[in-house]
Amino acid sequence: MKKNKNLDSAPWIWRSVSTISIVATLLLIFGFAYAIKDVIFPQGDSTLNEGQKAAAPAKDAQNGGNKSIVEDGKIRMAVIGDSLARGTGDDEGLGFVRRAANLLKDEGHDVQVLNNLGVNGLRTDALLKKLDEQGVQYVLQQSNFILLSIGANDLFQGGQVLQGEDPPTAEKLAAALPETSKRLQEILKKVKEINPNAQIAYIGLYNPFGNVKELEKPGNAVVAAWNDAAMSILNSEDNMTLVPTFDLFENHLDEYLSSDHFHPNGQGYQQMAVRIAQEYKGNKPAEGSAK
């Protein structure tokens, strides 16, 4: 009697399927565990520093805080905030943080980008909650140069202001200023509490609708008011600076904005990066200041 080849091969097929299923399950479990680990303990950006690991923050004996001053000559950068912090619109995927890091490296600095904590569409209220997350605090505690971009989505509703039936006025755009600027102050205070020794650079706003007739004047007015409010907050704190961007984009929107007409393109981010690199002080006294 002739054996059926299909029946002979059936056990082998089932064994193969079972083995593949077990391997797939193990890979899924491993991947899930790795993802959880990455959320709780984010790893540094290895693009600029292959193989380097971020050192755990030392404790300052005097205040119990994180001692993040540049004592070993290394700049440890982190960026947090909205889509501009994320680098949205940059075809090269660098954004202002990696571009600024590259510029600082060209100046001879030892630079490490620990993590990019930017989230598309993030507003000030959501950022306040995000600063309570363990993983976010872990990254900021390791940094000594923290870049912050937030506020554009609060004022311009993420670029949706043009979708309304009535053209937005300066009064409508300015309505969000009091509460938003108050939250910005709370954000900066909380970042400083997380890492009292880091230099914090806030990226000022520009008007992405400066070439739109209905939004040129009201947009310019609300951005100027916002930047003034931010400057007042930053001037009241140590180790905080504002990186101005309004003048960079004012007459170069067609050149520096991406195709969505809201986020910068690579050229725009490069211009911002130059300003950021210029603002870096390394927690050292300025020339002529008292030591």
Side-chain angles (χ1 to χ4, degrees):
M1 186 175 179
K2 191 175 183 180
K3 290 184 179 180
N4 190 319
K5 292 184 178 179
N6 291 333
L7 291 177
D8 288 342
S9 60
W12 177 86
I13 293 174
W14 283 112
R15 282 196 298 270
S16 300
V17 171
S18 299
T19 302
I20 293 172
S21 299
I22 292 171
V23 172
T25 302
L26 291 173
L27 288 174
L28 181 62
I29 294 172
F30 176 79
F32 180 76
Y34 184 83
I36 293 297
K37 174 180 176 293
D38 191 51
V39 170
I40 298 176
F41 301 108
Q43 298 299 307
D45 189 329
S46 59
T47 303
L48 293 174
N49 294 271
E50 199 68 35
Q52 291 185 2
K53 292 184 178 180
K59 291 292 183 179
D60 188 326
Q62 293 183 350
N63 59 24
N66 295 310
K67 193 172 185 180
S68 303
I69 297 176
V70 187
E71 293 182 344
D72 58 0
K74 181 180 295 184
I75 303 174
R76 299 181 179 89
M77 298 175 66
V79 59
I80 188 168
D82 51 25
S83 52
L84 268 71
R86 192 70 186 168
T88 301
D90 189 343
D91 290 338
E92 296 182 52
L94 298 175
F96 59 67
V97 61
R98 291 186 184 177
R99 290 177 181 275
N102 287 333
L103 289 171
L104 289 167
K105 285 189 70 179
D106 291 341
E107 294 177 6
H109 294 282
D110 185 359
V111 185
Q112 182 180 17
V113 177
L114 298 180
N115 211 320
N116 187 320
L117 301 170
V119 178
N120 290 339
L122 200 69
R123 301 190 182 192
T124 51
D125 53 348
L127 179 54
L128 272 172
K129 297 177 181 177
K130 193 171 184 65
L131 289 171
D132 291 328
E133 297 176 10
Q134 181 183 358
V136 170
Q137 292 186 5
Y138 178 79
V139 172
L140 297 182
Q141 285 167 356
Q142 294 181 90
S143 311
N144 49 38
F145 191 25
I146 299 172
L147 308 180
L148 169 65
S149 173
I150 198 70
N153 292 314
D154 295 80
L155 299 184
F156 294 114
Q157 295 89 52
Q160 297 177 7
V161 292
L162 290 175
Q163 297 181 9
E165 295 182 1
D166 299 324
T169 62
E171 290 75 17
K172 287 182 180 179
L173 291 176
L177 272 175
E179 287 299 317
T180 304
S181 58
K182 182 180 178 181
R183 285 194 292 268
L184 175 62
Q185 187 171 19
E186 294 174 4
I187 288 167
L188 291 167
K189 180 181 178 182
K190 186 172 287 190
V191 172
K192 189 171 183 179
E193 288 174 352
I194 293 170
N195 190 333
N197 296 309
Q199 180 185 339
I200 301 168
Y202 173 72
I203 313 302
L205 299 188
Y206 59 87
N207 179 15
F209 306 113
N211 54 4
V212 178
K213 184 178 179 180
E214 296 84 356
L215 275 176
E216 180 181 2
K217 289 184 178 179
N220 287 346
V222 72
V223 168
W226 170 264
N227 287 336
D228 286 344
M231 180 65 80
S232 297
I233 297 169
L234 294 162
N235 283 342
S236 65
E237 300 287 349
D238 295 329
N239 290 336
M240 290 190 186
T241 58
L242 182 139
V243 180
T245 64
F246 182 86
D247 61 310
L248 293 176
F249 289 86
E250 185 178 12
N251 297 314
H252 301 278
L253 291 174
D254 293 335
E255 185 180 356
Y256 291 157
L257 287 187
S258 65
S259 57
D260 65 9
H261 301 290
F262 188 73
H263 299 97
N265 57 20
Q267 287 181 283
Y269 279 118
Q270 185 67 24
Q271 295 299 316
M272 297 169 74
V274 170
R275 288 275 173 90
I276 292 169
Q278 291 171 344
E279 287 293 333
Y280 173 70
K281 295 179 175 58
N283 295 66
K284 296 178 182 178
E287 290 186 15
S289 63
K291 293 184 179 180

